[in-house]
């Protein structure tokens, strides 16, 4: 795996890959973030700190759930640091995980 990866629709892809819309994944955004981080780091969920040590999981899920009209938000992103990585989630549901630059 590369040091700079995107996690889209349940698949990890290098930043150059385009594998479609991120909203096809059935899991919550929090589950998808954890999956992307452990896959990128090559570790297991028990080896990393809980997501709530870095960001409010309920708020994260609320940001990426459909609006009252059933549509997903347009534009914007959330970015935070976790386990020595920058996590960037775009409004289309794609997750990018990359190491923090030294």
């Amino acid at each position: 795996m590369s040091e700079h990866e995107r996690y889209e629709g349940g698949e990890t892809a290098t930043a150059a890959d385009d594998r479609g819309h991120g909203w096809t994944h059935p899991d919550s955004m929090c589950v998808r973030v954890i999956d992307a981080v452990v896959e990128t780091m090559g570790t297991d969920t028990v080896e990393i700190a809980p997501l709530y040590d870095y960001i409010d999981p309920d708020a994260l899920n609320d940001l990426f759930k459909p609006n009252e009209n059933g549509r997903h938000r347009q534009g914007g992103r959330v970015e935070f640091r976790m386990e020595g990585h920058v996590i960037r989630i775009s409004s289309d549901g794609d997750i990018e995980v990359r190491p923090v630059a030294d």
Side-chain angles (χ1 to χ4, degrees):
M1 282 187 217
S2 72
E3 291 185 358
H4 182 110
E5 300 191 358
R6 288 173 36 163
Y7 194 78
E8 304 176 22
E11 299 180 47
T12 301
T14 62
D17 288 344
D18 182 8
R19 298 202 182 174
H21 204 273
W23 289 117
T24 60
H25 199 282
D27 290 331
S28 72
M29 185 54 68
C30 291
V31 170
R32 293 186 57 221
V33 167
I34 295 297
D35 288 348
V37 170
V38 297
E39 188 168 338
T40 299
M41 292 177 62
T43 190
D44 192 80
T45 56
V46 298
E47 301 295 324
I48 64 172
L51 184 63
Y52 60 76
D53 284 355
Y54 302 97
I55 194 167
D56 181 330
D58 292 330
L60 184 64
N61 283 333
D62 285 346
L63 279 172
F64 290 94
K65 70 181 181 183
N67 291 322
E68 292 174 5
N69 63 8
R71 295 183 180 163
H72 293 284
R73 291 170 175 40
Q74 300 296 312
R77 71 174 184 230
V78 172
E79 185 173 303
F80 62 97
R81 292 178 182 223
M82 178 179 178
E83 297 290 323
H85 289 74
V86 174
I87 315 303
R88 182 179 295 155
I89 309 166
S90 62
S91 62
D92 63 2
D94 291 342
I95 301 171
E96 183 179 352
V97 177
R98 57 184 167 84
V100 173
D102 292 331

